[in-house]
Amino acid sequence: MENKHEIYLDNAATTRTHPDVVSAMLPYFSLHFGNPSSLYSIARSSRTAIEEARRKVAAALGADEREIFFTSGGTESDNWAIRGIASAHGKKGRHIITTAIEHHAVLHTVEALEKEGFEITYLPVDEYGMVSPESVEEAIRPDTILISVMLANNEIGTIQPVQKIGEIARSHKIIFHSDAVQAIGQIPVDVRTMNVDLLSISAHKFGGPKGVGALFIRRGLRIDPLLYGGAQEQRRRAGTENVPGIVGLGAAIERAAAMMSEKAERMKKLRKRLIDGLLTIPKSRLNGHPTERLPNNVNIIFDYIEGESILLLLDANGIAASTGSACTSASLDPSHVLLACGLPHEQAHGSLRLTLGEETTEADIDYVLGVVPTVVQRLRDMSPLTPKELRTR
Amino acid sequence: MENKHEIYLDNAATTRTHPDVVSAMLPYFSLHFGNPSSLYSIARSSRTAIEEARRKVAAALGADEREIFFTSGGTESDNWAIRGIASAHGKKGRHIITTAIEHHAVLHTVEALEKEGFEITYLPVDEYGMVSPESVEEAIRPDTILISVMLANNEIGTIQPVQKIGEIARSHKIIFHSDAVQAIGQIPVDVRTMNVDLLSISAHKFGGPKGVGALFIRRGLRIDPLLYGGAQEQRRRAGTENVPGIVGLGAAIERAAAMMSEKAERMKKLRKRLIDGLLTIPKSRLNGHPTERLPNNVNIIFDYIEGESILLLLDANGIAASTGSACTSASLDPSHVLLACGLPHEQAHGSLRLTLGEETTEADIDYVLGVVPTVVQRLRDMSPLTPKELRTR
Amino acid sequence: MYSETVMDHFNNPRNQREIPDADGIGEVGNQKCGDIMRIFLKIHDNVIEDASFQTFGCGAAVASSSMATEMIKGKTLEEAWEISNKAVAEALEGLPPQKLHCSVLAEEAIHAAINNYLEKMGLEPWEEGEGSCAGCSGCGTD
Amino acid sequence: MYSETVMDHFNNPRNQREIPDADGIGEVGNQKCGDIMRIFLKIHDNVIEDASFQTFGCGAAVASSSMATEMIKGKTLEEAWEISNKAVAEALEGLPPQKLHCSVLAEEAIHAAINNYLEKMGLEPWEEGEGSCAGCSGCGTD
Ligand SMILES: Cc1ncc(COP(=O)(O)O)c(C=O)c1O
Ligand SMILES: Cc1ncc(COP(=O)(O)O)c(C=O)c1O
């Protein structure tokens, strides 16, 4: 393989942990390694480091520090939010509203609850992957205890009208959770204006380390733990704190918040260049919303060809990308998000997701725009579905 | 405070992440940062690193690599083992057997299940904190689905007859879980000779990083997930893998296993010196078993004085220790372990736990033996409980 | 995740073209699984003189098609019929478990093409083995 | 977790001794909570001339006892009675929320010692406020 280039365009799957973040974490492995729950002075640094990180996360989300609870990542935050509310409020009602395009960390959790007797409403989305606030309001029943709608979709980048949905939830006194894993560092997130009660984040999506995240829990909200044990995190989330990881989360979110608006502007420019260039390929279409989308997200369908093949050929050209989502290699499923947007199966298998990052340059985009058309043509020539007029042989 | 010394004797709470382990982890933050689920070549390093770590953990436990599942720590492993079995086998029966001296990650999890209609038998222990295999057998009922007995206790270090308990469990076809968090790197652990179906470990207890652990799940065992979402870990544990943490776990367990027998010999000598020295203090007693105990664990009661005060004075002398367990500062509870061993409340408040580590030297022990008697005397002079003859004023 | 041979056949597919005057054409697969395979055969005196393919699908599907067409060229129809999905997968130096169905597809496509030829000739089609899309399974996302 | 004043009173406790010929002795606390506090008073003409303590308990309990004895020395019984747990905690520059009950214990111990004196003198004990061990709570372990 000609690996002259190495262009990473899969920042929705994960990001490079920024070297400054790693530097911030380093002292907490071997130097300030005390268990934050311990009394003695050498544990004080771990304790204050955690509280400092909590302040940074709270500041970035417009929350109070006592509302921030550290977890092992976005998946745990989503699981905890949903299962914790179902368990604490299940006596009041057993109906949960969510959408067809949530991340599997939400969808598979509510499916598990379904087996335990909860009823789930999966709201549809329009062709742009957008949930309508009206559909939320219509779905509310007397026994609805939770609404969970993601802030921004990980595949197509569509940004949901979460503030309006939050207002509806509040006016009906229903608890509202939002998975903001993809939004942090990309668009402003403020838990008060969003009217959310619970909000999930994951550090490795914005320059922090893998294996650490947080759940915002509004002050006064009743929620059961997901992990039982020691008295950490106000007795709500047990387990020795991942001190270096938490420090990394704090450093990363502070950094991401500081550079957000500038970065977003840059991303939008690069995104436009990339989208415009790719759409010159015949029979290609943009997935997701044209404007209400994450500044770094590009998701395109090329008719007649399949996703994995595109990725393999891009990889051979030094471009790291994904189809819809960073599936495990085990995956043969079409994207549930694209299906929900109304795409037929073969197209739901064939999208190309390119998610830009702070390191992405204009030269990268131009290189990609040089490679993709060739790759698409090559696969179209190979495909039994391609019509004659699009073949070169 | 006269901090000439800094002697860390709380290795049961957490250990320093060994610098070699940190070095092994470092490339996986900013260099090989790919999402292991991704297809492209730059993610290959993350993928192979995880599988390499899995092999190391499997080798250290005598398990097959496909039986090792990475988690966010000992707490998650314990929660998953218990809740996952309760959920998958709850239709067959709703009785669980455990012991009175388990870690809270086990105890509070079964308590939560109790509220959901499970019945829990908490086996008693003898004065040394030892569970009898006979009591396990007697507690078994037709609806028993799980037995959970820790391999070694975190407060008093008592090592349980887990192999015999495993044989009993197997002969009754009941699933057997053991929390081995404190045992790794201290005593040999082999899942086959132990006859366990599930076994929990946590990296930061043996020179690895905080926030990562593993659960051994015997091949073919049916268990529900605790965290739902992506298809990671054979679809059993969702969430983007904590690649650096997992690499650290692998490096740490390999290291710990290699040096174990030599270290244990050294620990036992130091432990003997420490225990013999401390027991020359009048009205002091060793908690836990005299021989069946972790090589690095010393736990002593000094009558008439309270634990936190001891710790504060030791800390002022540069010695990091704990009472019974690394309580959060919020804790005023006596140790449930010492109560289970039959100690009265005031004594269960007053134990001193010193847990040695690979860095502990003979000089450290001698320094501690110089400090502790003074501290004890000072607090006894202060205490209304101290009899006249033990007072210096 | 793929062997070098798979990647070679994916990057340099053999026989990837249409045969306009094919004697037998077989198309199998299903868009739910994301794989469609079409095999073209040129047959003379019961021997496969030429074979080619078109495939919509993942790397393993492309490589399986490529390898399968290579394997059947010069074989009698009977010999070609006997080429199992296992043989294709082995010739590719293995496929990931969840991709084994791609080699099954290749076997099925060969069978379909041979039967298409037989039918055109007014002969009884041979009996098809079990086909499957059993590899289809869930997805982990980021 | 403790303020400097708490640590000072813990490390250098004031009045930590027995008064063998005390006029009033008050002991409060409970072993479940892990704190027992005993206060000794020497009283002359309604004024506390000397005060001392013995305490079994945590750092906050020791510091509260120490501070409380300092605060009541030279005070009339009425003034001493009015010293609230809040005043003790404030004088210590604050206590962690879960340790506030230690200052409550100190207040109770003063009351108990005063009432013990009053009873010895054949007088009515004064009315006790609400005591509590409400701070007792669970434990996080390693
Ligand atoms: C929208 C969304 N939610 C949740 C998650 C889960 O986060 P993690 O993999 O860090 O557990 C992800 C990414 O994986 C995501 O994109
Ligand atoms: C015996 C035992 N089990 C479980 C745990 C929980 O492990 P962690 O804090 O890493 O989640 C610990 C230590 O904290 C322990 O000592």
Side-chain angles (χ1 to χ4, degrees), chain D:
Chain D
M1 79 195 247
Y2 287 132
S3 72
E4 275 181 32
T5 312
V6 171
M7 287 311 296
D8 176 37
H9 275 263
F10 174 73
N11 283 318
N12 312 294
R14 329 295 201 254
N15 314 309
Q16 181 252 300
R17 61 195 147 83
E18 205 177 335
I19 300 178
D21 56 345
D23 299 310
I25 302 180
E27 181 172 312
V28 295
N30 119 16
Q31 303 204 338
K32 269 209 159 162
C33 264
D35 296 301
I36 298 168
M37 216 178 269
R38 190 185 286 167
I39 282 195
F40 303 86
L41 301 179
K42 197 80 195 141
I43 297 168
H44 189 73
D45 276 351
N46 202 41
V47 168
I48 298 176
E49 293 201 316
D50 196 9
S52 74
F53 76 93
Q54 287 181 334
T55 289
F56 164 88
C58 64
V62 173
S64 297
S65 324
S66 167
M67 180 57 85
T69 52
E70 281 289 277
M71 289 170 80
I72 58 178
K73 276 201 286 185
K75 294 266 190 317
T76 64
L77 292 189
E78 286 78 3
E79 287 166 347
W81 186 275
E82 291 305 324
I83 287 172
S84 66
N85 68 77
K86 267 198 196 141
V88 174
E90 274 165 23
L92 288 168
E93 287 180 347
L95 284 173
Q98 72 278 13
K99 296 290 191 181
L100 276 175
H101 76 286
C102 294
S103 58
V104 175
L105 271 189
E107 179 187 325
E108 290 175 359
I110 296 170
H111 291 186
I114 291 176
N115 275 340
N116 173 258
Y117 164 76
L118 294 174
E119 278 174 49
K120 277 192 192 162
M121 303 299 286
L123 301 168
E124 277 291 288
W126 298 348
E127 204 168 294
E128 181 59 275
E130 292 278 287
S132 86
C133 188
C136 277
S137 49
C139 174
T141 46
D142 32 56

Side-chain angles (χ1 to χ4, degrees), chain B residues 147-301:
Chain B
I147 298 169
S148 179
V149 178
M150 73 200 315
L151 179 47
N153 183 269
N154 47 309
E155 295 191 22
I156 54 176
T158 302
I159 300 167
Q160 302 300 336
V162 162
Q163 182 174 344
K164 285 215 189 89
I165 296 171
E167 279 164 21
I168 292 167
R170 180 126 322 159
S171 74
H172 290 265
K173 294 206 168 60
I174 296 169
I175 298 163
F176 179 39
H177 167 248
S178 185
D179 175 342
V181 166
Q182 289 289 340
I184 303 295
Q186 308 268 1
I187 56 171
V189 175
D190 183 289
V191 293
R192 306 291 172 221
T193 55
M194 278 172 70
N195 296 300
V196 288
D197 299 299
L198 298 147
L199 184 122
S200 307
I201 72 173
S202 186
H204 72 100
K205 305 288 187 181
F206 49 86
K210 297 175 177 62
V212 61
L215 182 63
F216 156 81
I217 304 177
R218 195 163 61 84
R219 200 78 175 264
L221 188 68
R222 197 156 52 82
I223 184 166
D224 281 346
L226 182 67
L227 295 182
Y228 290 89
Q232 293 90 353
E233 298 294 291
Q234 303 178 43
R235 290 164 203 280
R236 280 183 154 171
R237 200 282 189 184
T240 302
E241 297 90 337
N242 175 358
V243 183
I246 289 169
V247 168
L249 169 56
I253 205 166
E254 189 176 50
R255 216 183 145 269
M259 60 187 276
M260 181 171 63
S261 63
E262 196 194 340
K263 182 183 155 203
E265 281 321 301
R266 222 169 62 73
M267 291 298 105
K268 280 182 195 162
K269 277 199 202 110
L270 293 175
R271 180 184 73 184
K272 181 173 178 350
R273 191 184 187 91
L274 184 54
I275 292 177
D276 290 351
L278 291 176
L279 289 184
T280 61
I281 297 173
K283 292 284 182 184
S284 62
R285 266 182 318 286
L286 182 69
N287 294 311
H289 200 279
T291 57
E292 293 299 301
R293 76 185 299 138
L294 290 176
N296 75 331
N297 175 291
V298 173
N299 188 311
I300 304 237
I301 287 281

Side-chain angles (χ1 to χ4, degrees), chain A residues 1 12-13 103-104 154 205 304-306 308-309 312-313 325-334 345-346 349 353 378 381-385 388 391 393, chain C residues 1-2 7 10-13 16 18 27 31-34 36-38 53-60 62 98-99 101 135-142:
Chain A
M1 298 179 197
H103 190 268
H104 282 154
N154 48 308
K205 305 288 187 182
Y304 320 124
I305 62 178
E306 191 269 350
E308 191 200 286
S309 306
L312 288 173
L313 288 180
S325 58
C327 286
T328 62
S329 42
S331 170
L332 299 159
D333 273 358
H345 264 95
E346 71 276 22
H349 272 291
R353 181 184 74 176
R378 182 159 162 196
D381 282 343
M382 202 182 283
S383 170
L385 306 174
K388 273 257 156 10
R391 292 183 184 277
R393 54 175 193 148
Chain C
M1 79 194 246
Y2 287 132
M7 286 312 294
F10 173 73
N11 284 317
N12 312 294
Q16 180 252 299
E18 205 176 334
E27 182 173 312
Q31 301 204 339
K32 268 208 158 161
C33 263
I36 297 168
M37 215 178 270
R38 189 187 287 167
F53 78 93
Q54 286 180 334
T55 288
F56 164 88
C58 63
V62 172
Q98 72 279 12
K99 296 291 191 182
H101 77 287
C136 277
S137 50
C139 177
T141 46
D142 32 58

Side-chain angles (χ1 to χ4, degrees), chain B residues 94-115:
Chain B
R94 300 178 80 80
H95 179 236
I96 294 173
I97 299 171
T98 187
T99 79
I101 57 154
E102 295 298 310
H103 190 269
H104 283 154
V106 168
L107 287 180
H108 291 167
T109 303
V110 296
E111 282 160 18
L113 287 175
E114 228 166 353
K115 284 192 202 134

Side-chain angles (χ1 to χ4, degrees), chain A residues 58-383:
Chain A
L61 303 180
D64 185 282
E65 344 168 348
R66 301 200 39 159
E67 299 176 314
I68 304 300
F69 298 83
F70 294 116
T71 68
S72 66
T75 297
E76 184 188 327
S77 296
D78 284 346
N79 274 257
W80 182 15
I82 293 169
R83 194 164 273 279
I85 293 300
S87 160
H89 301 263
K91 283 209 182 94
K92 217 176 73 192
R94 300 177 80 78
H95 180 236
I96 294 173
I97 298 170
T98 186
T99 80
I101 57 154
E102 296 299 309
H103 190 268
H104 282 154
V106 167
L107 286 180
H108 290 168
T109 303
V110 296
E111 281 162 18
L113 287 175
E114 229 167 353
K115 284 192 203 134
E116 296 169 24
F118 283 81
E119 283 177 68
I120 317 294
T121 298
Y122 301 93
L123 296 175
V125 293
D126 66 16
E127 58 180 312
Y128 304 115
M130 191 71 90
V131 177
S132 88
E134 294 71 40
S135 74
V136 175
E137 184 135 39
E138 279 159 25
I140 291 174
R141 314 191 317 204
D143 60 341
T144 306
I145 55 167
L146 175 67
I147 297 169
S148 180
V149 178
M150 73 200 316
L151 179 48
N153 183 268
N154 48 308
E155 296 191 22
I156 54 175
T158 303
I159 300 168
Q160 303 300 335
V162 162
Q163 181 174 346
K164 284 215 190 92
I165 296 171
E167 279 164 21
I168 292 167
R170 180 125 325 156
S171 75
H172 289 266
K173 294 206 167 65
I174 296 169
I175 298 163
F176 179 39
H177 166 248
S178 186
D179 175 341
V181 167
Q182 290 288 341
I184 303 295
Q186 308 267 1
I187 56 171
V189 175
D190 183 289
V191 293
R192 307 291 173 223
T193 55
M194 280 173 69
N195 296 300
V196 289
D197 299 300
L198 298 147
L199 184 123
S200 307
I201 73 173
S202 186
H204 71 100
K205 305 288 187 182
F206 49 86
K210 297 175 178 63
V212 61
L215 181 64
F216 157 81
I217 304 176
R218 195 162 62 83
R219 199 78 176 264
L221 188 68
R222 199 156 51 83
I223 183 166
D224 282 347
L226 183 67
L227 295 181
Y228 290 89
Q232 293 89 353
E233 298 293 289
Q234 304 178 44
R235 289 165 204 279
R236 280 182 154 172
R237 200 284 189 181
T240 302
E241 296 90 339
N242 176 358
V243 184
I246 289 170
V247 168
L249 168 55
I253 205 166
E254 190 176 50
R255 215 184 146 270
M259 61 188 275
M260 181 171 64
S261 62
E262 195 193 341
K263 181 183 156 201
E265 281 321 301
R266 224 170 59 75
M267 291 297 106
K268 279 181 196 165
K269 276 196 204 117
L270 293 174
R271 180 184 72 183
K272 183 173 175 350
R273 190 182 187 91
L274 184 54
I275 292 176
D276 290 352
L278 291 176
L279 290 184
T280 62
I281 297 173
K283 292 285 182 183
S284 61
R285 269 185 315 289
L286 182 69
N287 293 312
H289 201 279
T291 57
E292 294 298 303
R293 75 185 299 137
L294 290 175
N296 75 332
N297 175 291
V298 173
N299 188 311
I300 304 239
I301 286 281
F302 304 103
D303 284 353
Y304 320 124
I305 62 178
E306 191 269 350
E308 191 200 286
S309 306
I310 308 178
L311 299 196
L312 288 173
L313 288 180
L314 289 182
D315 186 33
N317 285 281
I319 300 169
S322 76
T323 64
S325 58
C327 286
T328 62
S329 42
S331 170
L332 299 159
D333 273 358
S335 152
H336 68 284
V337 175
L338 296 182
L339 290 178
C341 295
L343 267 64
H345 264 95
E346 71 276 22
Q347 293 194 351
H349 272 291
S351 89
L352 172 65
R353 181 184 74 176
L354 300 164
T355 42
L356 322 184
E358 58 174 292
E359 297 173 25
T360 311
T361 63
E362 217 168 273
D364 292 345
I365 301 296
D366 292 342
Y367 175 75
V368 171
L369 288 176
V371 170
V372 175
T374 326
V375 163
V376 168
Q377 189 55 52
R378 182 159 162 196
L379 291 170
R380 283 186 172 168
D381 282 343
M382 202 182 283
S383 170

